Amino acid sequence: MALSRQKKEQVLAQYQKWVDDSKAVVLVEYTGVKMADLDAIRTKLRETGGEFHIINNTFARKIFESNGMTIPAGYLEKSTAIAFAFKDAAGTTKALTDATVKMDAIKLKGGFLGKQRLSPAQVKALAELPPLPV
């Protein structure tokens, strides 16, 4: 079922607000992952105050560009899911990497810490930092 223009604008506004409110945003490719595994990732991230959503690449491009973030080539290709870290960037990123450690189909594309772009290696380094309570 296609979304109406009004509904698309509402969804776009919601994601733009989430990007603004996030301490970090991590993009992953999820091709070949089962729905149950995606739900497990969502649950794990919500425990840390984060969100995990599958998003259309065109929507993602509009969201990041409207927030002044430059998207490198390859970040928005194939399937894309986004992890939003609203409270603790390191804790949410660690939860994401822990939840996906046995899922070979999940591939880190990169992300943003604030408005600073992160490579996949930098995202992994962020996940190794201690969470905020520590």
Side-chain angles (χ1 to χ4, degrees):
M1 181 171 100
L3 293 175
S4 69
R5 184 170 192 75
Q6 181 181 10
K7 181 66 176 170
K8 285 180 184 178
E9 289 173 2
Q10 289 174 346
V11 170
L12 199 59
Q14 178 64 50
Y15 283 126
Q16 285 173 333
K17 182 177 180 344
W18 281 5
V19 169
D20 281 340
D21 294 345
S22 294
K23 306 257 187 281
V25 177
V26 179
L27 290 88
V28 298
E29 181 183 330
Y30 66 92
T31 303
V33 178
K34 296 178 183 170
M35 198 63 198
D37 291 336
L38 291 173
D39 288 339
I41 296 169
R42 283 187 184 100
T43 301
K44 187 85 169 165
L45 265 61
R46 285 184 179 142
E47 291 172 3
T48 66
E51 287 286 334
F52 184 77
H53 288 259
I54 294 170
I55 189 165
N56 177 292
N57 286 333
T58 304
F59 267 23
R61 187 174 321 288
K62 287 180 183 179
I63 292 163
F64 289 119
E65 287 175 356
S66 71
N67 283 313
M69 300 168 159
T70 305
I71 307 293
Y75 275 33
L76 296 177
E77 292 177 358
K78 299 183 181 181
S79 61
T80 303
I82 301 178
F84 298 93
F86 298 119
K87 296 178 182 175
D88 180 7
T92 302
T93 306
K94 180 166 179 46
L96 176 65
T97 56
D98 288 350
T100 60
V101 73
K102 295 190 188 234
M103 297 179 201
D104 295 334
I106 297 280
K107 294 176 182 68
L108 281 175
K109 293 183 176 184
F112 293 91
L113 183 60
K115 297 210 185 245
Q116 180 183 354
R117 187 174 56 211
L118 300 174
S119 69
Q122 290 171 316
V123 171
K124 288 180 183 179
L126 178 62
E128 292 172 2
L129 293 174
L132 277 178
V134 175

